[in-house]
Structures are given as structure tokens and as C-alpha cells.
Amino acid sequence: MRIGILGGTFDPIHYGHIRPAMEVKHALALDKILLMPNHIPPHKQQPNLTTAQRLKMVADVCSQLDGFELCDIEAKRDTPSYTVITLEQLKALHPKDELFFIMGMDSFIQLQSWHEWQRLFDFAHLVVCQRPGWQLDAKHPMQQILTARSQAQALAEHAANPAHRNGGQIFPVTITPQDISSTHIREQLAKGKIPADLLMPVTLDYIQNQRLYLP
């Protein structure tokens, strides 16, 4: 099975998370996508909502999308959500499956600051999505890694050689540009505005019923 993994604070989860995940799922013919809220994000400020509230929102979204599942492996952890630890655990749970960890180009550019980032490739492939305003400079050190692990023949080699199926490759995927941020959504909600075009109806209903993100 080919499993995509998208982590984040999801504070709240919005179409800027969901639509790229759907496009990656289609582009790489993935069997399912795991949406994985983190508990203690190491690279961001702490979320506005509780872990339980964010898990609820993601679970609601997954219940309405075919092939999407909630993954609570990081939410159960009382230590920072280091991706390498998570992928090692997920690979142990899915030893025969192929894992694809999804990230934006903005995260990939900063990958060298991640905890034991080189070991990520031991457990999964990386899927790098283009996002508005982020581009990798030709002289950037991550460009060499991107080039080496996502050569033109990578897809063909990946299909032909089972050794390439454990992980280690990078799959750049061009996604439809969306300039959506959780910060902007929270600001709108705090002002009493309803960003109905940015959130799934089930998410908006939960936020309104629980009176979340109010000043």
C-alpha cells in the first residue's frame, strides 16, 4: 500500500491543507492519506486550541473524504513531534507499505534544521509541494539533495526496482496555488467574519458551535 502522511498543527485544518493532499494523492496514486496533528510542534509556537479539539476537527474532515484517515501517533506523545521519530514508528507499524511524507517547499528549504533530518529518507519518500512565494535558489544546499533524489528517471526506477520502494526519493509535485494560512483564518474568526470559502463546512460548524478563536 502507498500511504501519504501530512502533519501539521491544523489550527484549524483548512483547504490549504486538504486540497494539496488530494492532489498529491491523485498525482502519486496513493491508496490513502494520513492526516497527523502534532501535539508539541518543534518548529512553531504552541497551537491556540487543545490537541483534543484539533484531533476532533481532523477526524471530522477525514470522515467526509474518501481515502483520508486520522493519525494520532504524535498527539499521544508528550515530547516534541520530531518527524524522524514519527516516521520510524509508522514504518514499524507499516513495514510492507510505502510511506510518502508530504511537505511544502517552505519546509523543505528548512529541512537541514530538522532533528536528524538525514534519517527521514530511511523510512519514507519525501513529497515536496510548491507553495506561493517559496522557491529554491539554484545555489541553495538543499537544491543538490533535491536534484540527486528526484532525477527525471526516478519514477521509472521507482517502479522497476523494489529497493527504491522503502524510501529515500523526493517527488516534487506541482499543486494548485492557494494563498491560505491558519493565521489569517484565525484573525477573520476573531473579527466575527466567517471564512466559509477556506474551511470545510464540518470544520466551520464545529468552530462556531464551540465558539472557538473568539477574542
Side-chain angles (χ1 to χ4, degrees):
M1 185 174 289
R2 295 159 65 85
I3 302 173
I5 304 155
L6 179 62
T9 51
F10 300 126
D11 187 25
I13 187 168
H14 53 70
Y15 284 126
H17 304 121
I18 298 163
R19 288 171 180 154
M22 295 176 73
E23 292 184 7
V24 167
K25 184 175 183 291
H26 176 75
L28 299 181
L30 304 182
D31 296 292
K32 64 181 177 181
I33 296 281
L34 302 181
L35 294 179
M36 184 175 63
N38 49 38
H39 176 50
I40 306 175
H43 296 283
K44 290 185 177 182
Q45 65 181 22
Q46 295 308 302
N48 293 264
L49 299 188
T50 67
T51 300
Q53 289 170 321
R54 293 181 293 113
L55 284 169
K56 167 63 174 170
M57 287 192 292
V58 173
D60 287 345
V61 165
C62 290
S63 72
Q64 303 209 346
L65 296 177
D66 184 43
F68 279 69
E69 294 180 11
L70 169 67
C71 176
D72 63 358
I73 192 170
E74 289 195 341
K76 293 178 177 179
R77 194 182 300 152
D78 291 329
T79 55
S81 299
Y82 291 124
T83 301
V84 65
I85 296 173
T86 300
L87 291 181
E88 187 172 17
Q89 290 179 335
L90 286 173
K91 192 62 181 178
L93 292 171
H94 304 274
K96 296 182 180 180
D97 296 324
E98 199 170 5
L99 305 183
F100 295 77
F101 185 76
I102 303 167
M103 64 170 58
M105 179 60 81
D106 55 332
S107 295
F108 182 75
I109 288 173
Q110 303 293 329
L111 193 63
Q112 288 179 312
S113 69
W114 290 28
H115 178 67
E116 296 185 6
W117 67 274
Q118 296 96 331
R119 294 182 61 226
L120 298 175
F121 297 105
D122 294 339
F123 309 112
H125 304 296
L126 299 188
V127 181
V128 180
C129 302
Q130 298 291 341
R131 289 181 60 179
W134 294 90
Q135 190 172 359
L136 194 60
D137 185 89
K139 296 180 180 180
H140 195 283
M142 293 306 295
Q143 179 61 51
Q144 291 183 339
I145 295 169
L146 181 64
T147 301
R149 292 183 178 268
S150 59
Q151 298 172 352
Q153 70 269 27
L155 280 171
E157 292 179 355
H158 175 78
N161 189 346
H164 292 161
R165 297 177 186 173
N166 292 326
Q169 291 185 292
I170 298 174
F171 294 84
V173 176
T174 300
I175 58 173
T176 304
Q178 292 185 103
D179 195 7
I180 305 175
S181 77
S182 297
T183 300
H184 175 65
I185 291 172
R186 292 194 299 268
E187 289 172 350
Q188 284 193 294
L189 290 165
K191 295 175 182 176
K193 298 180 180 179
I194 308 300
D197 57 330
L198 307 180
L199 300 169
M200 284 185 62
V202 67
T203 307
L204 187 57
D205 287 347
Y206 178 74
I207 288 172
Q208 290 181 305
N209 289 338
Q210 298 294 317
R211 298 181 59 79
L212 304 178
Y213 300 113
L214 295 177

Coordinates of all heavy atoms in Angstrom, one line a residue, residues 73-74 77 84-94:
I73 N -0.7 9.4 16.2 CA 0.5 8.9 16.8 C 1.3 10.1 17.5 O 2.0 9.9 18.5 CB 1.4 8.2 15.7 CG1 2.5 7.4 16.4 CG2 1.9 9.2 14.7 CD1 3.3 6.5 15.4
E74 N 1.4 11.3 16.9 CA 2.1 12.4 17.5 C 1.3 13.0 18.6 O 1.9 13.5 19.6 CB 2.5 13.4 16.5 CG 3.6 12.9 15.5 CD 4.2 14.1 14.7 OE1 3.6 15.1 14.6 OE2 5.3 13.9 14.2
R77 N 2.0 11.7 22.1 CA 3.4 11.8 22.5 C 3.5 13.1 23.4 O 3.0 14.1 23.1 CB 4.3 11.9 21.3 CG 5.8 11.7 21.7 CD 6.7 11.8 20.4 NE 6.3 10.8 19.4 CZ 6.5 11.0 18.1 NH1 6.9 12.1 17.7 NH2 6.1 10.1 17.3
V84 N 11.4 12.4 12.4 CA 12.1 11.2 12.2 C 11.7 10.1 13.1 O 11.6 8.9 12.8 CB 13.6 11.5 12.3 CG1 14.0 11.9 13.7 CG2 14.5 10.3 11.9
I85 N 11.3 10.5 14.3 CA 10.8 9.5 15.3 C 9.4 9.0 14.9 O 9.2 7.8 14.9 CB 10.7 10.2 16.7 CG1 12.1 10.5 17.2 CG2 10.0 9.2 17.7 CD1 12.1 11.3 18.5
T86 N 8.6 9.9 14.4 CA 7.3 9.5 13.9 C 7.4 8.6 12.7 O 6.7 7.6 12.7 CB 6.5 10.8 13.5 OG1 6.4 11.7 14.6 CG2 5.1 10.4 13.0
L87 N 8.2 8.9 11.7 CA 8.3 8.0 10.6 C 8.9 6.7 10.9 O 8.5 5.7 10.4 CB 9.2 8.7 9.5 CG 8.5 10.0 8.8 CD1 9.5 10.5 7.8 CD2 7.2 9.6 8.2
E88 N 9.8 6.6 11.9 CA 10.4 5.4 12.3 C 9.2 4.5 12.9 O 9.2 3.3 12.7 CB 11.5 5.6 13.3 CG 12.2 4.3 13.7 CD 13.5 4.6 14.5 OE1 13.6 5.7 15.1 OE2 14.3 3.7 14.6
Q89 N 8.4 5.1 13.7 CA 7.3 4.4 14.4 C 6.3 4.0 13.3 O 5.8 2.8 13.3 CB 6.6 5.3 15.4 CG 7.5 5.6 16.6 CD 6.8 6.5 17.6 OE1 5.9 7.3 17.3 NE2 7.2 6.4 18.9
L90 N 6.0 4.8 12.4 CA 5.0 4.5 11.3 C 5.5 3.4 10.4 O 4.8 2.5 10.0 CB 4.6 5.7 10.5 CG 3.7 6.7 11.2 CD1 3.6 8.0 10.3 CD2 2.3 6.1 11.4
K91 N 6.8 3.4 10.1 CA 7.4 2.3 9.3 C 7.3 1.0 10.1 O 7.1 -0.1 9.4 CB 8.8 2.7 9.0 CG 9.4 1.7 7.9 CD 8.6 1.9 6.6 CE 9.2 1.0 5.5 NZ 8.3 1.1 4.2
A92 N 7.5 1.0 11.4 CA 7.4 -0.2 12.2 C 5.9 -0.7 12.1 O 5.7 -1.9 12.2 CB 7.8 0.0 13.6
L93 N 5.0 0.2 12.1 CA 3.6 -0.2 12.0 C 3.2 -0.7 10.6 O 2.2 -1.4 10.5 CB 2.7 1.0 12.5 CG 2.8 1.4 13.9 CD1 2.0 2.7 14.2 CD2 2.2 0.3 14.8
H94 N 3.9 -0.1 9.6 CA 3.5 -0.5 8.2 C 4.8 -0.9 7.5 O 5.2 -0.3 6.5 CB 3.0 0.8 7.5 CG 1.8 1.4 8.2 ND1 0.5 0.9 7.9 CD2 1.7 2.4 9.1 CE1 -0.4 1.7 8.6 NE2 0.3 2.5 9.4

